[in-house]
Amino acid sequence: MEARGFGASATMSGRVVEPSLSNALPHFVPLVIFPLVVCAAIYGGWWIVGPFAFFMLADKFDRFFGLEERNMDPASTRESQLFLYKLSLWLWAASWPVVFVFALWQMLIADHLSFWEVGFMTGVLALVAQTVFVVGHELVHRRAVWERRLGEFLLASVSYPHYATEHVYIHHPRVCTPLDPGYAPKGLSFWQYLPREVANNLLGAWRFERRRLARRQLPVFHYTNAFWRYIVELVVWYGLIYWIGGVWAVLAFVVLCGGVVFSMKMSNYVQHYGLRRIRMPHGRFEPVKPRHAWSAAYKFTNWLYYNMQRHADHHTSNRRYPLLQHYGEADSPQLPGSYIQMNTLALFPKRWFETIDPLLDRQRAQFYPEIDDWSAYDSRAFAARPDAFDAIAEIHASSPRLAAWINEYPALLDRLRDREFTDLELPEGFAPDPEFEAIARSGLARLYWTRELGVSEMKDQLADIHTQDTGEAVDAAREWSNSKVFQIGMHTMRGSLSESEAGTALSRVAEASIATVLSAVEEDFEDRGIPRASGGGGGGGLGAPGAGVAVAVLGPLASGEATPGTELDVRFAHDGDPVRYYEALVRRFRKALRALSRDNLLLAPLPRRGLDGLRSLAAIEEQLRKPGSDPELLALAGARCVFASGDSETWKRFIDALPNGQHPPAGPL
């Protein structure tokens, strides 16, 4: 049974915590750190051990004090009964700035601590500052403006005030969905998660403020933009640090803040790792439930960090920390250790995955027995394109190859919205007979990809993409080719195209993209002032009669049997002199084709020396006439000329050099 709010079973069993002085006093434990820090800052030496020991012994205190699974009843607890609990939090918030500045003064101005003592004191402050996010987080959720502003000021003390916007307005409504940049899907290590999370926190907060002001028809730099407050708060802190110790103090402060943010990100990573809100049939995500955060019941850690381990209830209720409920295994997945232990474990991905992934799989089986395959939810494609979940799930269930593509290149999913694709995907139920629907869809796809969209039409599509040099032409052709290959793959997966029909379409895609890139190379070659060889002694330049280069493909691309990952087998043949001119052009051809084959779904990557060199048509004709000719030259009998540079008759002379009756016909496949 799903728990909602305060469980009736807990009340009936007597497992209730009453608000009282004795129950509130343990939550004053976090304040003990401040006199320890003051003594360490004043006396140095062994006094510095005190703050370190306080945090390092937390694990042993957890074992000594055990678990706290009892809850306070929010329905019967009045706000006035929580004063002592709130007082502890307010005292911590008020003490931190004072003690922090005092410690910095002792370290940087009083000049009575040695260099190593200053270093250890920096570590002490970084440890204490971890609680800044816990207290600041609690305060920015409150309705009283003064509490929210105090929370922001605390967060600014570690250079992270924008967390107040990002956490409340982005993380909470989007938690456990791909729309939440603070979420870590299964299989993502903390080290992969960290840079993306830090960047998205700042950018996400800024985008939210920009959208909020736009809805009110206000400019982005309006004075109500929260970032003005954040800037002022940061200026206050950095100005104070600079006044205390100058540039070196500011640099030390930046390092300290970086360490604190790092520790906070570990908690963010742990709290929701791998937990997903499933997509409902209407396209929305299910409501947030206790099952969408990891829980722990270690008593001392909850005292130390104001019930941070009851994060599951925080997302479903947003109660003040003393009222947060602990949910057992029936309602929320349980961590095998405290948040402190799990944060440390997250630094070691292999051990983390070995420990948590089996628990995650068990949680999924417990709460979502109807879902057998979670690969779509865990995919990079879903993280990048959550609105395309239905297509992602279909692909993951039917085609591992297409699944690998969309996880590597999520933008491919956008091609499913192109009219070129949607016009061939007739809607379900347009005819009373499902078999007729399938035949109609297949007929449309086959007609388009095998009849209507030939090589010349594909070249026209590529010509509509404006490029200014070979590099841009290569990028455009690769992106265009990948989109076409993906669309063809989707039609094949759905049975609208047969394997042979897909091979024909893919071969045309390859020919069009190769010809477009080579044409760009030729234009660059001429535009950059490469001198053409002058006619003389029977020779001629690239535009001279009887002069040119033919480029032919062999193998599956020539026979119309291309498949994704086909190796590009290309031959270059020239007719005319001087040879050095054609060699220079062909070197550029090879370089461009290597670039085209990188990150190409249709063509296998070409090694640096992966293409044949230049040969003359005369030499090819002569060797083909000899018995026992070179097998490589004989392979040209099945070649397909995809591009000819120079004389318009170059293509014809090339195929005429092949054995009679064995050259492919002109025109598209």
Side-chain angles (χ1 to χ4, degrees), residues 100 104 107-108 118 122 241 246-259:
F100 182 41
L104 290 175
M107 294 161 57
L108 303 172
V118 170
T122 302
I241 300 301
V247 174
W248 290 108
V250 171
L251 292 176
F253 180 62
V254 170
V255 172
L256 183 147
C257 293

Side-chain angles (χ1 to χ4, degrees), residues 364-377:
R364 289 175 168 181
Q366 174 185 351
F367 294 114
Y368 304 100
E370 72 280 5
I371 300 178
D372 297 322
D373 183 8
W374 285 86
S375 60
Y377 281 103

Side-chain angles (χ1 to χ4, degrees), residues 205-521:
W206 174 255
R207 290 176 187 138
F208 172 82
E209 288 295 329
R210 186 176 60 192
R211 288 194 301 269
R212 181 181 66 83
L213 291 168
R215 286 195 300 268
R216 298 170 58 191
Q217 298 183 341
L218 295 173
V220 68
F221 293 109
H222 192 263
Y223 71 91
T224 57
N225 189 327
F227 272 79
W228 287 119
R229 293 198 309 273
Y230 303 156
I231 291 171
V232 170
E233 291 160 357
L234 288 173
V235 167
V236 169
W237 276 107
Y238 275 87
L240 180 62
I241 300 301
Y242 181 80
W243 176 72
I244 290 175
V247 174
W248 290 108
V250 171
L251 292 176
F253 180 62
V254 170
V255 172
L256 183 147
C257 293
V260 176
V261 171
F262 180 86
S263 68
M264 184 270 284
K265 296 306 177 186
M266 286 192 291
S267 292
N268 282 8
Y269 176 81
V270 168
Q271 286 168 343
H272 303 284
Y273 169 79
L275 304 174
R276 278 292 193 198
R277 290 160 60 190
I278 63 171
R279 288 259 299 191
M280 307 299 286
H282 50 65
R284 295 175 62 86
F285 292 97
E286 67 174 314
V288 182
K289 300 175 182 177
R291 67 185 65 166
H292 296 125
W294 292 92
S295 296
Y298 292 91
K299 188 177 293 185
F300 185 79
T301 298
N302 271 337
W303 291 340
L304 188 62
Y305 292 121
Y306 297 101
N307 280 345
M308 177 179 66
Q309 298 174 128
R310 297 187 169 192
H311 199 65
D313 189 48
H314 168 69
H315 271 277
T316 57
S317 68
N318 194 29
R319 301 182 178 105
R320 286 191 181 269
Y321 81 89
L323 294 176
L324 292 176
Q325 308 292 289
H326 169 73
Y327 290 97
E329 292 183 358
D331 302 297
S332 177
Q334 305 295 302
L335 289 169
S338 68
Y339 267 28
I340 296 175
Q341 293 172 313
M342 294 299 100
N343 287 358
T344 303
L345 184 65
L347 299 176
F348 306 94
K350 183 178 179 181
R351 290 173 53 197
W352 170 261
F353 295 143
E354 290 174 349
T355 303
I356 301 299
D357 282 359
L359 299 179
L360 176 61
D361 293 338
R362 189 185 311 161
Q363 181 266 351
R364 289 175 168 181
Q366 174 185 351
F367 294 114
Y368 304 100
E370 72 280 5
I371 300 178
D372 297 322
D373 183 8
W374 285 86
S375 60
Y377 281 103
D378 294 329
S379 66
R380 290 179 57 190
F382 184 44
R385 297 292 191 277
D387 292 339
F389 177 76
D390 292 338
I392 295 169
E394 178 190 6
I395 292 170
H396 272 265
S398 305
S399 177
R401 170 176 278 175
L402 292 182
W405 289 355
I406 61 174
N407 286 325
E408 184 70 21
Y409 311 105
L412 288 173
L413 291 163
D414 299 339
R415 304 282 69 81
L416 301 184
R417 295 197 294 267
D418 292 349
R419 286 199 61 183
E420 181 180 46
F421 186 83
T422 57
D423 285 354
L424 305 180
E425 288 290 305
L426 295 172
E428 298 264 348
F430 77 93
D433 185 355
E435 184 177 355
F436 176 80
E437 288 184 9
I439 294 173
R441 291 191 190 94
S442 178
L444 282 175
R446 289 175 178 175
L447 179 65
Y448 181 74
W449 285 103
T450 63
R451 299 296 178 190
E452 294 181 8
L453 192 64
V455 174
S456 59
E457 288 77 17
M458 291 182 177
K459 289 180 180 178
D460 289 342
Q461 287 188 7
L462 282 163
D464 288 338
I465 305 173
H466 179 68
T467 60
Q468 291 187 295
D469 56 31
T470 298
E472 291 183 6
V474 167
D475 292 340
R478 184 194 303 113
E479 183 179 355
W480 175 89
S481 171
N482 285 349
S483 68
K484 293 293 183 287
V485 173
F486 178 62
Q487 289 180 343
I488 294 169
M490 287 294 294
H491 287 304
T492 307
M493 182 191 77
R494 292 173 174 175
S496 298
L497 290 177
S498 67
E499 294 290 340
S500 62
E501 290 165 339
T504 298
L506 291 173
S507 298
R508 291 175 175 176
V509 169
E511 179 172 346
S513 58
I514 290 170
T516 297
V517 166
L518 297 183
S519 178
V521 172

Side-chain angles (χ1 to χ4, degrees), residues 554 569 571 612 615 624 629-637:
L554 283 66
D569 193 358
R571 297 295 183 269
D612 188 42
R615 303 189 184 192
L624 281 173
S629 196
D630 187 343
E632 263 197 49
L633 293 173
L634 290 174
L636 286 168

